[in-house]
């Protein structure tokens, strides 16, 4: 039945006793196939209930998919804000499969553009970090079970911000010391919300607590050193920073691509896990040749060669001209726009 992975159910799937075991529109993951097998639902009945929505998927852009899941997530976060409880089933059935579907998009640069926060930063950031964390987890070759757990943790990493006043979170200027101290409490608030939620793993709560910790002990809220920080927390920290720098926020515009990469590289030295950063950047750089880019002087070109000593400054073809960005320091890559 593995051929049905990633397909969406048209109707509810019921067992021999008439009990719904999988609701309609569920995107089938590994754990769903196990459920079907446990209920002895054979391939014939699955074939009748599964529809490959090829037309729908082809006509839906990555940005459209992201907007859909952000809308779903906003409704669920509003529920958390009002009730103080996390709607675990709705997250499992609606949001997490959709985040994993977005992370499977074949062109990572289209994906990065799709998840950039533009308007409602708080909700778009949660989904963006969930998607990028999932992508990193795939590149680290995590098991399917760990990957789903990581998606969950990345998507819920900032849930504690629901307890921070919106006027502080969305303040256009620099935060005061008191305001910043208040914002930093979101890590503890998130941990408290998640650790007391049935159906949420302790590891998910730990990521909410630790995603601002740093390898050298200079993070918050506990100032943990590298060996005390969970692997998932390290992954989400990198996804969090990459997405934040790449997005427009209330107090600054998105950074150009070359600055994001350089600052991520600087994270090698004490702040971020060097192995995870290396895997992340290596997978980005190896996919850059052939991509269309916007330069900082607004010309559009195509990447034709990667400089192994300075990957963020490749050789670019603009019309019939070749520009070596490692030599021409007045121009750099502002944005990768994909094929």
């Amino acid at each position: 039945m593995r051929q049905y992975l990633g397909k969406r159910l048209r109707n509810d799937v019921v067992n021999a006793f008439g009990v719904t075991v999988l609701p309609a529109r569920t995107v089938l993951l590994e754990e769903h196939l196990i459920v079907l097998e446990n209920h002895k639902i054979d391939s014939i009945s699955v074939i009748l209930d599964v529809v490959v929505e090829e037309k729908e998927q082809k006509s839906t852009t990555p940005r459209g998919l992201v907007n859909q899941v952000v809308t779903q997530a906003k409704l669920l976060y509003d529920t958390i804000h009002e009730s103080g409880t996390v709607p675990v089933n709705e997250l499992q059935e609606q949001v997490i499969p959709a985040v994993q579907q977005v992370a499977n998009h074949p062109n990572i640069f289209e994906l990065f553009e799709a998840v950039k926060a533009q308007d409602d930063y708080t909700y778009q950031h949660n989904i963006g970090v969930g998607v990028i964390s999932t992508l990193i987890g795939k590149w680290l070759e995590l098991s399917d079970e760990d990957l789903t757990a990581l998606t969950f943790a990345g998507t819920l990493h900032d849930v504690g911000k629901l307890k921070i006043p919106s006027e502080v979170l969305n303040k256009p200027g620099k935060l005061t010391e008191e305001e910043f101290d208040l914002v930093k409490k979101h890590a503890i608030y998130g941990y408290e919300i998640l650790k007391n939620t049935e159906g949420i793993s302790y590891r998910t709560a730990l990521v909410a607590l630790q995603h601002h910790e740093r390898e050298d002990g200079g993070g918050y809220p506990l100032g943990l050193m590298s060996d005390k920080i969970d692997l998932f927390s390290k992954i989400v920290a990198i996804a969090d920073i990459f997405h934040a720098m790449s997005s427009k926020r209330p107090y600054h515009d998105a950074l150009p691509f070359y600055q994001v990469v350089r600052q991520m590289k600087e994270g090698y030295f004490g702040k971020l896990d060097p192995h995870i950063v290396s895997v992340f950047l290596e997978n980005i750089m190896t996919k850059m040749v052939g991509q269309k880019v916007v330069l900082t002087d607004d010309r559009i070109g195509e990447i034709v060669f990667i400089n192994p000593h300075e990957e963020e400054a490749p050789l670019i073809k603009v019309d019939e001209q070749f520009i070596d960005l490692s030599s021409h320091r007045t121009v750099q890559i502002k944005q990768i726009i994909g094929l």
Side-chain angles (χ1 to χ4, degrees), residues 260-279:
V260 173
V261 172
R262 286 180 182 172
Q263 290 193 31
M264 293 296 291
K265 282 186 172 181
E266 290 173 4
Y268 273 0
F269 305 105
K271 298 295 183 183
L272 303 173
D273 185 287
H275 173 65
I276 302 174
V277 174
S278 176
V279 168

Side-chain angles (χ1 to χ4, degrees), residues 89-104:
N89 290 337
E90 288 85 348
L91 281 164
Q92 288 176 331
E93 294 171 5
Q94 300 173 28
V95 175
I96 302 306
V99 169
Q100 293 186 321
Q101 182 183 358
V102 174
N104 284 329

Side-chain angles (χ1 to χ4, degrees), residues 160 164 180-191 220-221:
I164 307 298
F180 185 52
D181 286 341
L182 176 60
V183 169
K184 288 195 292 187
K185 290 181 180 178
H186 80 274
I188 295 174
Y189 293 154
Y191 173 73
Y220 67 84

Side-chain angles (χ1 to χ4, degrees), residues 145-164:
E145 182 180 355
D146 279 350
L147 197 59
T148 297
L150 175 62
T151 304
F152 223 109
T155 304
L156 289 173
H157 78 288
D158 262 351
V159 69
K161 284 187 176 178
L162 291 173
K163 291 194 172 185
I164 307 298

